[in-house]
Amino acid sequence: MKYISTRGNAPELSFEEAMLTGLARDGGLYVPEAIPTMSPEDIAALAGLSYEEAAFKVMRPFVGDAFTDEEFKVIIARAYAGFRHDARAPLVQLAPNHYLLELFHGPTLAFKDFAMQLIGQLFQFSLDRRDERVTIVGATSGDTGSAAIEAFRGLDNVDVFILFPHGRVSDIQRKQMTTPDDANVHALALDGDFDDCQAKLKDMFNDFEFRDGVKLAGVNSINWARVLAQVVYFFTSAVSLGAPHRKVSFTVPTGNFGDIFAGYIAKKMGLPIEKLVIATNQNDILHRTMESGAYTKDGVTPSISPSMDIQVSSNFERALFDAYGRDGGAVAQLMEELKDGSFTISQGAMETLRDHFSSGRASEAETLAVISEEFVSCGEVLCPHSAVGVKVGKENLSGTPMITLATAHPAKFPDAVEQAMGARPVLPPHMDDMMHREEHVTRVPNDLEHLETLIKERIAQR
Ligand SMILES: *Cc1c(COP(=O)(O)O)cnc(C)c1O
């Protein structure tokens, strides 16, 4: 299996190389040259398997010969051993025909653990075998950072630097990033918003001297291995509701378009998905794009669902690549136009996108209202991101079962939940003392040279 760049101008890589690299050298994102498919019989055979067994069957064809079957099984088993639910991704029912896929039973209580725990094991295996070390730099709107730190802390051949927007993540998200005291973990609070963090990360990848010098690796949601890990729960949840014999729909709370793009891959692989619904908060660039065909940046307005406070939705580039008939030149041109703030999608490409995706948005007031309504109607306590999904999911109910993804545990966002329903959600017992642990964090300006120097110094000290 070969991986190619969405901008058509970077070397083809193997799965392992694409995973260790992250962003392509032409600024594009890696995608498989062709999407492997599963027959209805293959999909039906997932019924009754453990999450790990299903994960192996779904992901195996994408990995090629990077790992033997046995190695890959061990990697998967280790990745999900730390989850606190035997089903890993349990499905609960909210209402007739509406289901919630709980993706928050991993070590940092957000769905990011599904991909990051796997990537941690994959990196460790690959780097040990190649006797190499890497520097991971990640930008986070809150949950990626803690998931990455949890997955890579304590590893000898990895340094992990996480850039988060100063003052714009919840207390618990910040504590999860700043309280680990491993020498290879570096939490950096940047003066700016999430898009600034993401832009600085891209700049580092485009500075080839720095990139090669520190052996920069990216684990943001642009990393193909992360998208791949997320494909699995679309299959397991659909199969438990009767796929492939019955169609299902999904609503996905969306920021960087990684999670919903994984759903699109599941569909391309053969999973009978009727609708894939993009749910955004008030930062609704994706919803506006689906309505108007124009992708236009607007400022980020901080919301109660901070992990979706995004304007530049990186993985959307992968959907554009397919919608433009896999024309890397066309995608490169759109991204060039975006430097001035916007681009317009061709009519043909828009039709393809609308064939696969619908969209909706939830305001702050609607999000809060859904948290209290769902608590009253079925006893489920939703985090604000999941509530955005449930609001939009409800608007898209039909005869087909709707599965809305619950992306974080409510206790990660206690203030919003308390505001909505008057009671404060409690952290799981293993995190009880987190709020009292000492923090290790460095405040940094929104300046590339400053960041690169700091990273080089920290690595040299180890
Ligand atoms: C990251 C995140 C999202 C958005 O996921 P994308 O893959 O970036 O679209 C939604 N909810 C939570 C809790 C998250 O951490």
Side-chain angles (χ1 to χ4, degrees), residues 57-319:
K57 296 212 161 171
V58 171
M59 295 192 287
R60 186 75 191 95
F62 289 91
V63 172
D65 54 10
F67 309 99
T68 66
D69 284 1
E70 279 321 304
E71 286 165 352
F72 196 43
K73 281 181 186 167
V74 169
I75 286 169
I76 292 171
R78 287 189 185 146
Y80 299 114
F83 278 53
R84 286 178 179 77
H85 196 300
D86 280 353
R88 310 308 182 215
L91 199 59
V92 302
Q93 189 161 12
L94 295 177
N97 244 5
H98 196 181
Y99 298 83
L100 191 75
L101 182 57
E102 292 186 348
L103 300 175
F104 50 70
H105 297 283
T108 71
L109 310 181
F111 83 91
K112 304 280 195 309
D113 288 324
F114 277 88
M116 212 60 89
Q117 287 291 318
L118 183 76
I119 250 197
Q121 296 298 331
L122 288 167
F123 264 68
Q124 197 175 343
F125 191 94
S126 286
L127 292 173
D128 282 349
R129 179 168 65 187
R130 293 164 164 241
D131 196 20
E132 284 175 14
R133 66 163 301 287
V134 292
T135 302
I136 289 173
V137 184
T140 185
S141 53
D143 297 321
T144 296
S146 51
I149 288 169
E150 207 51 51
F152 290 100
R153 61 188 291 186
L155 296 190
D156 280 339
N157 38 13
V158 176
D159 268 283
V160 52
F161 292 84
I162 297 297
L163 291 168
F164 67 89
H166 178 71
R168 297 206 192 198
V169 298
S170 80
D171 282 352
I172 292 178
Q173 286 179 318
R174 193 190 68 248
K175 290 267 184 181
Q176 283 184 322
M177 294 187 277
T178 59
T179 58
D181 54 7
D182 308 76
N184 73 327
V185 170
H186 316 270
L188 308 177
L190 184 126
D191 287 316
D193 61 24
F194 172 63
D195 286 327
D196 294 323
C197 296
Q198 209 166 223
K200 284 291 153 298
L201 180 65
K202 282 210 165 178
D203 292 345
M204 285 182 219
F205 270 95
N206 288 326
D207 177 348
F208 291 154
E209 197 184 322
F210 175 76
R211 176 176 181 162
D212 297 336
V214 301
K215 294 216 174 309
L216 195 60
V219 296
N220 266 78
S221 67
I222 52 155
N223 191 304
W224 170 258
R226 280 190 54 189
V227 174
L228 178 59
Q230 294 166 6
V231 174
V232 175
Y233 46 70
F234 286 88
F235 276 94
T236 57
S237 59
V239 166
S240 68
L241 289 182
H245 314 295
R246 186 157 74 140
K247 284 193 168 196
V248 296
S249 291
F250 287 94
T251 300
V252 185
T254 305
N256 238 338
F257 210 78
D259 214 4
I260 191 154
F261 189 75
Y264 166 82
I265 295 293
K267 186 177 172 188
K268 287 262 151 178
M269 290 175 71
L271 188 65
I273 298 178
E274 188 168 283
K275 266 192 197 180
L276 278 168
V277 187
I278 300 163
T280 75
N281 66 19
Q282 61 190 7
N283 296 297
D284 59 354
I285 185 165
L286 289 166
H287 177 53
R288 284 186 282 114
T289 303
M290 291 306 293
E291 304 243 290
S292 70
Y295 187 97
T296 307
K297 277 199 271 184
D298 197 359
V300 173
T301 314
S303 78
I304 54 172
S305 43
S307 306
M308 293 156 60
D309 288 347
I310 287 175
Q311 284 297 312
V312 182
S313 188
S314 308
N315 278 291
F316 192 56
E317 179 167 338
R318 289 190 161 113

